[in-house]
Amino acid sequence: MSDQEPGRPGIPAGPGGLAGPGSPAGSGVSGGSGVDLARVALRAAKEQARARGAAAAQKKQARRGGLRSGARADGRDPLTLGAAISRLITERGWEAPAAVGGVMGRWPQLVGPEVALHCSPDRYDEDARVLTVQCDSTAWATQLRLLAPTLVARLNADLGHGTVKLIKVLGPAAPTRSYGRLRAPGSRGPGDTYG
Protein backbone atom coordinates (compact mmCIF):
# COMPACT_ATOMS: atom_id res chain seq x y z
CA MET A 1 0.00 0.00 0.00
CA SER A 2 2.97 2.30 -0.14
CA ASP A 3 2.39 3.49 -3.73
CA GLN A 4 -1.37 4.08 -3.33
CA GLU A 5 -3.24 6.90 -1.66
CA PRO A 6 -4.30 6.21 1.90
CA GLY A 7 -7.96 5.28 2.14
CA ARG A 8 -8.41 4.81 -1.66
CA PRO A 9 -7.46 1.35 -2.76
CA GLY A 10 -6.74 0.68 -6.44
CA ILE A 11 -5.77 4.25 -7.44
CA PRO A 12 -2.05 4.75 -7.75
CA ALA A 13 -0.57 7.86 -6.18
CA GLY A 14 2.40 9.97 -7.13
CA PRO A 15 3.70 11.61 -10.29
CA GLY A 16 3.10 8.58 -12.56
CA GLY A 17 -0.40 7.82 -11.31
CA LEU A 18 -3.76 9.35 -12.28
CA ALA A 19 -4.55 10.83 -8.88
CA GLY A 20 -1.32 12.71 -8.32
CA PRO A 21 -1.45 16.45 -7.70
CA GLY A 22 0.61 17.32 -10.82
CA SER A 23 -1.35 15.20 -13.28
CA PRO A 24 -4.07 16.63 -15.56
CA ALA A 25 -6.64 14.16 -14.31
CA GLY A 26 -5.95 15.02 -10.69
CA SER A 27 -6.42 18.73 -11.35
CA GLY A 28 -9.80 18.24 -13.07
CA VAL A 29 -11.51 16.05 -10.47
CA SER A 30 -10.94 16.29 -6.77
CA GLY A 31 -12.17 13.45 -4.67
CA GLY A 32 -13.92 11.68 -7.59
CA SER A 33 -14.33 7.98 -8.19
CA GLY A 34 -12.33 5.94 -10.68
CA VAL A 35 -15.06 6.34 -13.32
CA ASP A 36 -14.85 10.14 -13.05
CA LEU A 37 -11.10 10.06 -13.39
CA ALA A 38 -11.37 7.82 -16.43
CA ARG A 39 -13.83 10.24 -18.06
CA VAL A 40 -11.48 13.16 -17.45
CA ALA A 41 -8.54 11.23 -18.88
CA LEU A 42 -10.59 10.20 -21.93
CA ARG A 43 -11.72 13.78 -22.55
CA ALA A 44 -8.11 15.05 -22.35
CA ALA A 45 -6.94 12.34 -24.76
CA LYS A 46 -9.72 13.22 -27.24
CA GLU A 47 -8.81 16.93 -27.14
CA GLN A 48 -5.14 16.14 -27.76
CA ALA A 49 -6.03 13.84 -30.68
CA ARG A 50 -8.34 16.49 -32.16
CA ALA A 51 -5.57 19.11 -31.92
CA ARG A 52 -3.06 16.75 -33.59
CA GLY A 53 -5.59 15.95 -36.34
CA ALA A 54 -6.31 19.63 -37.04
CA ALA A 55 -2.60 20.41 -37.28
CA ALA A 56 -2.07 17.49 -39.68
CA ALA A 57 -5.02 18.62 -41.84
CA GLN A 58 -3.61 22.15 -42.05
CA LYS A 59 -0.21 20.79 -43.10
CA LYS A 60 -1.80 18.57 -45.74
CA GLN A 61 -3.92 21.45 -47.04
CA ALA A 62 -0.89 23.74 -47.29
CA ARG A 63 0.97 21.07 -49.28
CA ARG A 64 -1.93 20.70 -51.72
CA GLY A 65 -2.00 24.44 -52.45
CA GLY A 66 -4.78 25.83 -50.30
CA LEU A 67 -8.48 25.13 -49.95
CA ARG A 68 -10.24 22.65 -52.21
CA SER A 69 -13.90 22.47 -53.01
CA GLY A 70 -15.68 19.64 -51.27
CA ALA A 71 -19.03 17.96 -51.51
CA ARG A 72 -20.92 20.91 -50.02
CA ALA A 73 -21.62 24.20 -51.80
CA ASP A 74 -19.53 27.18 -50.75
CA GLY A 75 -18.53 30.60 -52.12
CA ARG A 76 -15.86 29.15 -54.41
CA ASP A 77 -18.13 26.95 -56.52
CA PRO A 78 -18.81 27.95 -60.15
CA LEU A 79 -21.94 30.02 -60.77
CA THR A 80 -24.20 30.45 -63.74
CA LEU A 81 -23.81 33.74 -65.60
CA GLY A 82 -27.13 35.10 -64.30
CA ALA A 83 -26.27 34.23 -60.70
CA ALA A 84 -22.80 35.78 -61.03
CA ILE A 85 -24.24 39.01 -62.45
CA SER A 86 -26.91 39.16 -59.72
CA ARG A 87 -24.23 38.65 -57.07
CA LEU A 88 -22.07 41.41 -58.57
CA ILE A 89 -25.01 43.84 -58.75
CA THR A 90 -25.89 43.16 -55.12
CA GLU A 91 -22.28 43.46 -53.89
CA ARG A 92 -21.76 46.79 -55.68
CA GLY A 93 -25.15 48.28 -54.77
CA TRP A 94 -26.28 48.67 -58.37
CA GLU A 95 -29.84 47.43 -57.84
CA ALA A 96 -31.62 50.69 -58.72
CA PRO A 97 -29.56 51.55 -61.84
CA ALA A 98 -29.87 47.97 -63.08
CA ALA A 99 -33.63 48.01 -62.52
CA VAL A 100 -33.97 51.30 -64.38
CA GLY A 101 -31.83 49.87 -67.18
CA GLY A 102 -34.29 46.98 -67.37
CA VAL A 103 -37.11 49.52 -67.65
CA MET A 104 -35.34 51.15 -70.56
CA GLY A 105 -35.27 47.78 -72.27
CA ARG A 106 -39.01 47.25 -71.57
CA TRP A 107 -40.02 50.80 -72.43
CA PRO A 108 -42.56 49.81 -75.16
CA GLN A 109 -44.41 47.50 -72.71
CA LEU A 110 -44.61 50.24 -70.07
CA VAL A 111 -45.75 53.19 -72.18
CA GLY A 112 -47.29 51.45 -75.17
CA PRO A 113 -45.92 50.96 -78.68
CA GLU A 114 -47.23 54.26 -80.08
CA VAL A 115 -45.64 56.43 -77.36
CA ALA A 116 -42.44 54.35 -77.47
CA LEU A 117 -42.18 55.04 -81.20
CA HIS A 118 -41.89 58.80 -80.56
CA CYS A 119 -40.38 58.98 -77.03
CA SER A 120 -37.37 57.10 -75.71
CA PRO A 121 -35.62 57.09 -72.31
CA ASP A 122 -32.30 58.92 -72.51
CA ARG A 123 -30.64 58.66 -69.07
CA TYR A 124 -31.31 58.14 -65.36
CA ASP A 125 -29.76 60.26 -62.61
CA GLU A 126 -29.52 58.00 -59.57
CA ASP A 127 -28.77 60.79 -57.08
CA ALA A 128 -31.75 62.98 -58.08
CA ARG A 129 -33.85 59.93 -59.13
CA VAL A 130 -34.80 61.66 -62.38
CA LEU A 131 -35.52 59.79 -65.62
CA THR A 132 -34.88 61.90 -68.73
CA VAL A 133 -36.97 61.10 -71.81
CA GLN A 134 -36.30 62.47 -75.32
CA CYS A 135 -39.25 63.03 -77.67
CA ASP A 136 -39.05 63.53 -81.44
CA SER A 137 -41.66 66.34 -81.59
CA THR A 138 -43.04 69.02 -79.31
CA ALA A 139 -46.53 67.50 -79.56
CA TRP A 140 -45.27 64.17 -78.17
CA ALA A 141 -43.24 65.99 -75.50
CA THR A 142 -46.43 67.75 -74.37
CA GLN A 143 -48.36 64.47 -74.39
CA LEU A 144 -45.67 62.74 -72.28
CA ARG A 145 -45.61 65.65 -69.80
CA LEU A 146 -49.34 65.08 -69.28
CA LEU A 147 -48.75 61.33 -68.80
CA ALA A 148 -45.71 61.81 -66.50
CA PRO A 149 -47.50 61.39 -63.09
CA THR A 150 -49.15 58.16 -64.26
CA LEU A 151 -45.86 56.91 -65.69
CA VAL A 152 -43.96 57.73 -62.46
CA ALA A 153 -46.53 55.75 -60.46
CA ARG A 154 -46.25 52.79 -62.86
CA LEU A 155 -42.43 52.85 -62.76
CA ASN A 156 -42.36 53.01 -58.96
CA ALA A 157 -44.83 50.13 -58.74
CA ASP A 158 -42.52 48.09 -60.96
CA LEU A 159 -39.15 49.16 -59.50
CA GLY A 160 -39.92 49.99 -55.89
CA HIS A 161 -41.23 53.07 -54.15
CA GLY A 162 -39.16 56.22 -54.71
CA THR A 163 -36.95 54.86 -57.51
CA VAL A 164 -38.16 57.53 -59.94
CA LYS A 165 -39.31 60.84 -58.48
CA LEU A 166 -39.53 62.88 -61.67
CA ILE A 167 -39.64 62.39 -65.42
CA LYS A 168 -37.88 65.15 -67.29
CA VAL A 169 -39.23 65.41 -70.84
CA LEU A 170 -37.06 66.91 -73.56
CA GLY A 171 -38.40 68.05 -76.91
CA PRO A 172 -36.61 67.64 -80.22
CA ALA A 173 -33.10 68.99 -80.38
CA ALA A 174 -32.89 72.16 -82.43
CA PRO A 175 -30.28 72.29 -85.16
CA THR A 176 -27.27 74.47 -84.54
CA ARG A 177 -27.41 77.82 -86.25
CA SER A 178 -24.32 78.65 -88.21
CA TYR A 179 -24.78 81.20 -90.94
CA GLY A 180 -21.98 81.63 -93.44
CA ARG A 181 -18.43 80.43 -93.50
CA LEU A 182 -16.92 83.44 -91.77
CA ARG A 183 -18.06 84.29 -88.27
CA ALA A 184 -16.78 86.69 -85.64
CA PRO A 185 -15.56 85.03 -82.44
CA GLY A 186 -18.32 85.01 -79.79
CA SER A 187 -21.04 85.83 -82.34
CA ARG A 188 -24.46 84.22 -81.95
CA GLY A 189 -25.68 84.76 -85.49
CA PRO A 190 -27.90 87.43 -87.03
CA GLY A 191 -29.71 88.12 -83.74
CA ASP A 192 -26.45 89.51 -82.38
CA THR A 193 -26.88 92.90 -83.98
CA TYR A 194 -30.57 93.31 -83.25
CA GLY A 195 -30.81 92.87 -79.62
Side-chain angles (χ1 to χ4, degrees), residues 5 7 12 20 45-46 53 72 79 100 105-106 112 114 116 131-132 140-141 143 146-147 150 156 159 170 182:
E5 282 186 59
K46 282 183 179 179
R72 292 178 193 85
L79 299 172
V100 172
R106 294 180 294 131
E114 189 177 1
L131 178 66
T132 305
W140 280 106
Q143 181 69 22
L146 293 172
L147 291 173
T150 307
N156 284 331
L159 301 173
L170 302 176
L182 303 174

Side-chain angles (χ1 to χ4, degrees), residues 9 22 81 114 125 144 146 151 161 168 170 178 181 191:
L81 182 61
E114 189 177 1
D125 184 11
L144 196 64
L146 293 172
L151 190 57
H161 183 67
K168 183 178 177 182
L170 302 176
S178 60
R181 288 187 351 220

Side-chain angles (χ1 to χ4, degrees), residues 89 94-110 121 124 131 155 158-159:
I89 287 171
W94 295 339
E95 289 93 356
V100 172
V103 164
M104 291 183 180
R106 294 180 294 131
W107 183 253
Q109 288 88 18
L110 291 170
Y124 174 70
L131 178 66
L155 289 171
D158 191 37
L159 301 173

Side-chain angles (χ1 to χ4, degrees), residues 97-191:
V100 172
V103 164
M104 291 183 180
R106 294 180 294 131
W107 183 253
Q109 288 88 18
L110 291 170
V111 296
E114 189 177 1
V115 175
L117 187 63
H118 299 285
C119 305
S120 62
D122 189 32
R123 64 184 166 275
Y124 174 70
D125 184 11
E126 186 181 358
D127 297 330
R129 302 199 183 270
V130 175
L131 178 66
T132 305
V133 179
Q134 180 77 45
C135 297
D136 62 1
S137 70
T138 54
W140 280 106
T142 303
Q143 181 69 22
L144 196 64
R145 282 188 191 101
L146 293 172
L147 291 173
T150 307
L151 190 57
V152 167
R154 188 181 298 170
L155 289 171
N156 284 331
D158 191 37
L159 301 173
H161 183 67
T163 305
V164 177
K165 291 184 179 177
L166 178 71
I167 293 181
K168 183 178 177 182
V169 181
L170 302 176
T176 57
R177 294 174 51 179
S178 60
Y179 297 100
R181 288 187 351 220
L182 303 174
R183 297 187 60 200
S187 168
R188 290 179 287 154

Side-chain angles (χ1 to χ4, degrees), residues 28 33 41 60 84 108 111 137 148 189 192:
S33 68
K60 186 176 181 182
V111 296
S137 70
D192 230 6

